Short mmCIF file of all heavy atoms in Angstrom, two decimals:
data_model
loop_
_atom_site.label_atom_id
_atom_site.label_comp_id
_atom_site.label_asym_id
_atom_site.label_seq_id
_atom_site.Cartn_x
_atom_site.Cartn_y
_atom_site.Cartn_z
N VAL A 549 -206.40 78.53 -175.47
CA VAL A 549 -207.82 78.55 -175.08
C VAL A 549 -208.57 77.51 -175.89
O VAL A 549 -208.34 77.36 -177.09
CB VAL A 549 -208.43 79.96 -175.31
CG1 VAL A 549 -209.89 79.97 -174.92
CG2 VAL A 549 -207.68 81.01 -174.52
N ASP A 550 -209.46 76.78 -175.24
CA ASP A 550 -210.26 75.75 -175.90
C ASP A 550 -211.31 76.41 -176.80
O ASP A 550 -212.00 77.34 -176.38
CB ASP A 550 -210.93 74.87 -174.85
CG ASP A 550 -211.56 73.63 -175.45
OD1 ASP A 550 -212.60 73.77 -176.14
OD2 ASP A 550 -211.03 72.53 -175.23
N ALA A 551 -211.45 75.90 -178.03
CA ALA A 551 -212.37 76.50 -179.00
C ALA A 551 -213.83 76.33 -178.62
O ALA A 551 -214.69 77.04 -179.16
CB ALA A 551 -212.13 75.90 -180.39
N ALA A 552 -214.13 75.41 -177.70
CA ALA A 552 -215.52 75.23 -177.26
C ALA A 552 -215.75 75.87 -175.90
O ALA A 552 -216.78 76.51 -175.68
CB ALA A 552 -215.86 73.73 -177.20
N GLU A 553 -214.81 75.72 -174.97
CA GLU A 553 -215.04 76.18 -173.60
C GLU A 553 -214.73 77.66 -173.42
O GLU A 553 -215.28 78.31 -172.53
CB GLU A 553 -214.18 75.35 -172.64
CG GLU A 553 -214.56 73.89 -172.61
CD GLU A 553 -213.65 73.07 -171.72
OE1 GLU A 553 -212.64 73.63 -171.25
OE2 GLU A 553 -213.94 71.89 -171.49
N GLY A 554 -213.82 78.21 -174.23
CA GLY A 554 -213.44 79.61 -174.06
C GLY A 554 -212.56 79.81 -172.84
O GLY A 554 -212.18 78.85 -172.17
N PRO A 555 -212.26 81.06 -172.52
CA PRO A 555 -211.40 81.33 -171.35
C PRO A 555 -212.15 81.02 -170.05
O PRO A 555 -213.31 81.39 -169.89
CB PRO A 555 -211.07 82.82 -171.47
CG PRO A 555 -212.19 83.39 -172.29
CD PRO A 555 -212.63 82.30 -173.22
N LEU A 556 -211.47 80.37 -169.12
CA LEU A 556 -212.07 79.99 -167.84
C LEU A 556 -211.43 80.80 -166.71
O LEU A 556 -210.46 81.52 -166.92
CB LEU A 556 -211.90 78.49 -167.61
CG LEU A 556 -212.66 77.58 -168.60
CD1 LEU A 556 -212.52 76.13 -168.19
CD2 LEU A 556 -214.12 77.95 -168.72
N PRO A 557 -211.99 80.70 -165.49
CA PRO A 557 -211.52 81.56 -164.40
C PRO A 557 -210.02 81.54 -164.15
O PRO A 557 -209.40 82.57 -163.95
CB PRO A 557 -212.29 81.01 -163.19
CG PRO A 557 -213.55 80.47 -163.76
CD PRO A 557 -213.17 79.91 -165.09
N GLN A 558 -209.40 80.32 -164.18
CA GLN A 558 -207.98 80.27 -163.87
C GLN A 558 -207.12 80.90 -164.97
O GLN A 558 -206.00 81.31 -164.72
CB GLN A 558 -207.51 78.85 -163.56
CG GLN A 558 -207.91 77.79 -164.55
CD GLN A 558 -209.20 77.11 -164.20
OE1 GLN A 558 -210.22 77.78 -164.08
NE2 GLN A 558 -209.21 75.80 -164.07
N THR A 559 -207.65 80.98 -166.22
CA THR A 559 -206.93 81.67 -167.28
C THR A 559 -206.72 83.12 -166.89
O THR A 559 -205.66 83.70 -167.13
CB THR A 559 -207.74 81.61 -168.60
OG1 THR A 559 -208.17 80.28 -168.84
CG2 THR A 559 -206.91 82.09 -169.77
N ARG A 560 -207.73 83.70 -166.30
CA ARG A 560 -207.68 85.12 -165.92
C ARG A 560 -206.55 85.39 -164.93
O ARG A 560 -205.86 86.39 -165.04
CB ARG A 560 -209.04 85.51 -165.31
CG ARG A 560 -209.16 86.97 -164.94
CD ARG A 560 -210.47 87.27 -164.22
NE ARG A 560 -210.66 88.69 -164.08
CZ ARG A 560 -211.32 89.45 -164.93
NH1 ARG A 560 -211.87 88.91 -166.00
NH2 ARG A 560 -211.43 90.75 -164.73
N TYR A 561 -206.36 84.45 -163.98
CA TYR A 561 -205.36 84.68 -162.94
C TYR A 561 -203.95 84.80 -163.54
O TYR A 561 -203.23 85.76 -163.28
CB TYR A 561 -205.40 83.53 -161.92
CG TYR A 561 -204.32 83.63 -160.87
CD1 TYR A 561 -204.44 84.53 -159.82
CD2 TYR A 561 -203.18 82.84 -160.94
CE1 TYR A 561 -203.45 84.64 -158.86
CE2 TYR A 561 -202.19 82.94 -159.98
CZ TYR A 561 -202.34 83.85 -158.95
OH TYR A 561 -201.35 83.95 -158.02
N VAL A 562 -203.56 83.81 -164.35
CA VAL A 562 -202.20 83.83 -164.91
C VAL A 562 -202.05 84.97 -165.92
O VAL A 562 -201.02 85.64 -165.96
CB VAL A 562 -201.86 82.48 -165.57
CG1 VAL A 562 -200.41 82.47 -166.03
CG2 VAL A 562 -202.11 81.34 -164.61
N LEU A 563 -203.09 85.21 -166.72
CA LEU A 563 -203.01 86.29 -167.70
C LEU A 563 -202.87 87.65 -167.03
O LEU A 563 -202.13 88.52 -167.50
CB LEU A 563 -204.25 86.26 -168.61
CG LEU A 563 -204.23 87.24 -169.78
CD1 LEU A 563 -203.05 86.96 -170.71
CD2 LEU A 563 -205.53 87.18 -170.57
N SER A 564 -203.57 87.84 -165.91
CA SER A 564 -203.44 89.12 -165.21
C SER A 564 -202.02 89.33 -164.71
O SER A 564 -201.48 90.44 -164.77
CB SER A 564 -204.43 89.17 -164.03
OG SER A 564 -204.09 88.22 -163.05
N LYS A 565 -201.37 88.25 -164.23
CA LYS A 565 -199.98 88.34 -163.79
C LYS A 565 -199.07 88.67 -164.98
O LYS A 565 -198.14 89.49 -164.87
CB LYS A 565 -199.53 87.02 -163.16
CG LYS A 565 -200.28 86.63 -161.89
CD LYS A 565 -199.74 87.36 -160.69
CE LYS A 565 -200.37 86.85 -159.41
NZ LYS A 565 -199.93 87.61 -158.22
N ALA A 566 -199.32 88.04 -166.14
CA ALA A 566 -198.48 88.26 -167.32
C ALA A 566 -198.61 89.68 -167.84
O ALA A 566 -197.60 90.34 -168.17
CB ALA A 566 -198.85 87.25 -168.41
N LEU A 567 -199.84 90.19 -167.91
CA LEU A 567 -200.04 91.55 -168.43
C LEU A 567 -199.51 92.59 -167.44
O LEU A 567 -199.05 93.67 -167.86
CB LEU A 567 -201.52 91.79 -168.71
CG LEU A 567 -202.11 90.96 -169.87
CD1 LEU A 567 -203.59 91.28 -170.06
CD2 LEU A 567 -201.35 91.22 -171.17
N ALA A 568 -199.55 92.28 -166.15
CA ALA A 568 -198.98 93.21 -165.17
C ALA A 568 -197.47 93.34 -165.36
O ALA A 568 -196.89 94.39 -165.06
CB ALA A 568 -199.28 92.72 -163.76
N MET A 569 -196.84 92.28 -165.91
CA MET A 569 -195.40 92.32 -166.19
C MET A 569 -195.13 92.78 -167.62
O MET A 569 -193.99 92.71 -168.08
CB MET A 569 -194.80 90.93 -165.96
CG MET A 569 -194.90 90.46 -164.52
SD MET A 569 -194.38 88.74 -164.26
CE MET A 569 -192.63 88.86 -164.59
N ARG A 570 -196.20 93.20 -168.34
CA ARG A 570 -196.10 93.74 -169.71
C ARG A 570 -195.50 92.73 -170.68
O ARG A 570 -194.68 93.08 -171.53
CB ARG A 570 -195.29 95.04 -169.74
CG ARG A 570 -195.61 96.03 -168.64
CD ARG A 570 -197.12 96.28 -168.48
NE ARG A 570 -197.73 96.82 -169.66
CZ ARG A 570 -197.77 98.12 -169.95
NH1 ARG A 570 -197.24 98.99 -169.13
NH2 ARG A 570 -198.36 98.54 -171.05
N LEU A 571 -195.94 91.48 -170.57
CA LEU A 571 -195.45 90.44 -171.47
C LEU A 571 -196.38 90.32 -172.68
O LEU A 571 -197.59 90.20 -172.51
CB LEU A 571 -195.40 89.09 -170.74
CG LEU A 571 -194.44 89.01 -169.55
CD1 LEU A 571 -194.58 87.66 -168.85
CD2 LEU A 571 -193.00 89.23 -169.98
N PRO A 572 -195.84 90.36 -173.91
CA PRO A 572 -196.69 90.20 -175.11
C PRO A 572 -197.25 88.79 -175.20
O PRO A 572 -196.69 87.84 -174.64
CB PRO A 572 -195.73 90.49 -176.26
CG PRO A 572 -194.37 90.25 -175.72
CD PRO A 572 -194.43 90.57 -174.25
N THR A 573 -198.36 88.67 -175.95
CA THR A 573 -199.11 87.41 -175.98
C THR A 573 -199.31 86.91 -177.40
O THR A 573 -199.52 87.70 -178.32
CB THR A 573 -200.49 87.61 -175.32
OG1 THR A 573 -200.31 88.15 -174.01
CG2 THR A 573 -201.26 86.31 -175.23
N VAL A 574 -199.26 85.59 -177.56
CA VAL A 574 -199.71 84.91 -178.79
C VAL A 574 -200.91 84.06 -178.38
O VAL A 574 -200.81 83.23 -177.47
CB VAL A 574 -198.60 84.01 -179.39
CG1 VAL A 574 -199.15 83.20 -180.56
CG2 VAL A 574 -197.40 84.84 -179.82
N LEU A 575 -202.06 84.27 -179.02
CA LEU A 575 -203.29 83.53 -178.69
C LEU A 575 -203.41 82.30 -179.59
O LEU A 575 -203.35 82.41 -180.82
CB LEU A 575 -204.51 84.43 -178.87
CG LEU A 575 -205.87 83.73 -178.72
CD1 LEU A 575 -206.06 83.20 -177.30
CD2 LEU A 575 -207.02 84.66 -179.10
N VAL A 576 -203.59 81.13 -178.95
CA VAL A 576 -203.83 79.89 -179.69
C VAL A 576 -205.21 79.38 -179.30
O VAL A 576 -205.47 79.08 -178.13
CB VAL A 576 -202.77 78.82 -179.37
CG1 VAL A 576 -203.09 77.52 -180.11
CG2 VAL A 576 -201.38 79.32 -179.74
N ILE A 577 -206.12 79.31 -180.28
CA ILE A 577 -207.45 78.71 -180.06
C ILE A 577 -207.35 77.26 -180.50
O ILE A 577 -207.24 76.96 -181.70
CB ILE A 577 -208.54 79.48 -180.83
CG1 ILE A 577 -208.59 80.94 -180.36
CG2 ILE A 577 -209.90 78.82 -180.63
CD1 ILE A 577 -209.61 81.79 -181.06
N ASN A 578 -207.37 76.36 -179.53
CA ASN A 578 -207.09 74.95 -179.78
C ASN A 578 -208.39 74.15 -179.93
O ASN A 578 -209.46 74.60 -179.52
CB ASN A 578 -206.25 74.40 -178.62
CG ASN A 578 -205.72 73.02 -178.92
OD1 ASN A 578 -205.50 72.65 -180.06
ND2 ASN A 578 -205.51 72.22 -177.86
N LYS A 579 -208.26 72.97 -180.51
CA LYS A 579 -209.37 72.02 -180.69
C LYS A 579 -210.47 72.62 -181.57
O LYS A 579 -211.66 72.46 -181.28
CB LYS A 579 -209.94 71.58 -179.34
CG LYS A 579 -208.92 70.92 -178.42
CD LYS A 579 -209.55 70.45 -177.13
CE LYS A 579 -208.52 69.88 -176.18
NZ LYS A 579 -209.09 69.47 -174.89
N VAL A 580 -210.07 73.30 -182.64
CA VAL A 580 -211.08 73.87 -183.55
C VAL A 580 -211.80 72.79 -184.34
O VAL A 580 -212.76 73.07 -185.06
CB VAL A 580 -210.43 74.90 -184.53
CG1 VAL A 580 -209.98 76.13 -183.78
CG2 VAL A 580 -209.28 74.28 -185.31
N ASP A 581 -211.35 71.53 -184.22
CA ASP A 581 -212.01 70.43 -184.92
C ASP A 581 -213.15 69.82 -184.10
O ASP A 581 -213.83 68.91 -184.57
CB ASP A 581 -210.99 69.34 -185.28
CG ASP A 581 -210.31 68.74 -184.05
OD1 ASP A 581 -210.23 69.46 -183.03
OD2 ASP A 581 -209.85 67.59 -184.12
N ARG A 582 -213.37 70.32 -182.87
CA ARG A 582 -214.48 69.79 -182.07
C ARG A 582 -215.82 70.12 -182.72
O ARG A 582 -215.98 71.18 -183.34
CB ARG A 582 -214.44 70.40 -180.66
CG ARG A 582 -213.39 69.82 -179.76
CD ARG A 582 -213.37 70.45 -178.38
NE ARG A 582 -214.66 70.36 -177.68
CZ ARG A 582 -214.80 70.53 -176.38
NH1 ARG A 582 -213.73 70.79 -175.63
NH2 ARG A 582 -215.98 70.44 -175.80
N GLN A 583 -216.79 69.22 -182.54
CA GLN A 583 -218.11 69.45 -183.12
C GLN A 583 -218.78 70.69 -182.54
O GLN A 583 -219.53 71.38 -183.22
CB GLN A 583 -219.00 68.23 -182.90
CG GLN A 583 -218.64 67.04 -183.79
CD GLN A 583 -219.66 65.93 -183.68
OE1 GLN A 583 -220.45 65.90 -182.74
NE2 GLN A 583 -219.66 65.02 -184.64
N ASP A 584 -218.50 70.96 -181.25
CA ASP A 584 -219.13 72.12 -180.60
C ASP A 584 -218.20 73.34 -180.58
O ASP A 584 -218.40 74.26 -179.79
CB ASP A 584 -219.55 71.75 -179.18
CG ASP A 584 -218.39 71.22 -178.34
OD1 ASP A 584 -217.32 70.93 -178.92
OD2 ASP A 584 -218.55 71.09 -177.11
N ALA A 585 -217.18 73.34 -181.44
CA ALA A 585 -216.24 74.48 -181.48
C ALA A 585 -216.98 75.75 -181.92
O ALA A 585 -217.85 75.72 -182.79
CB ALA A 585 -215.09 74.18 -182.43
N ARG A 586 -216.60 76.88 -181.30
CA ARG A 586 -217.19 78.18 -181.65
C ARG A 586 -216.08 79.23 -181.58
O ARG A 586 -216.10 80.13 -180.73
CB ARG A 586 -218.33 78.50 -180.68
CG ARG A 586 -217.98 78.26 -179.23
CD ARG A 586 -219.13 78.47 -178.26
NE ARG A 586 -218.60 78.47 -176.89
CZ ARG A 586 -218.20 79.56 -176.24
NH1 ARG A 586 -218.27 80.75 -176.82
NH2 ARG A 586 -217.70 79.49 -175.02
N PRO A 587 -215.09 79.11 -182.46
CA PRO A 587 -213.88 79.94 -182.36
C PRO A 587 -214.14 81.45 -182.42
O PRO A 587 -213.47 82.22 -181.72
CB PRO A 587 -213.01 79.47 -183.53
CG PRO A 587 -213.93 78.73 -184.44
CD PRO A 587 -215.00 78.16 -183.59
N GLU A 588 -215.13 81.88 -183.24
CA GLU A 588 -215.38 83.33 -183.33
C GLU A 588 -215.88 83.88 -181.99
O GLU A 588 -215.43 84.93 -181.53
CB GLU A 588 -216.41 83.63 -184.44
CG GLU A 588 -215.89 83.38 -185.84
CD GLU A 588 -216.15 81.95 -186.29
OE1 GLU A 588 -216.65 81.15 -185.45
OE2 GLU A 588 -215.82 81.62 -187.44
N GLU A 589 -216.82 83.15 -181.36
CA GLU A 589 -217.33 83.60 -180.06
C GLU A 589 -216.24 83.57 -178.99
O GLU A 589 -216.14 84.48 -178.16
CB GLU A 589 -218.50 82.70 -179.61
CG GLU A 589 -219.74 82.81 -180.49
CD GLU A 589 -220.80 81.82 -180.05
OE1 GLU A 589 -220.98 81.65 -178.84
OE2 GLU A 589 -221.43 81.20 -180.93
#
């Protein structure tokens, strides 16, 4: 997930398929060096 843009609509589609198959997840918040990064939000 982009540290500035956050999760977008198409993220939801693939994630819903993955969770329906009970697949565990590792979350990577990328581009935390961007000036407009907001990783906590």
Side-chain angles (χ1 to χ4, degrees):
V549 179
D550 191 288
E553 296 176 352
L556 295 185
Q558 50 268 58
T559 312
R560 183 185 190 93
Y561 175 77
V562 185
L563 186 61
S564 66
K565 297 279 187 184
L567 293 180
M569 297 173 67
R570 316 311 299 274
L571 297 175
T573 305
V574 173
L575 173 64
V576 178
I577 300 179
N578 190 29
K579 301 183 184 177
V580 292
D581 60 334
R582 284 180 57 162
Q583 286 188 342
D584 56 348
R586 46 184 192 91
E588 291 89 356
E589 294 175 41

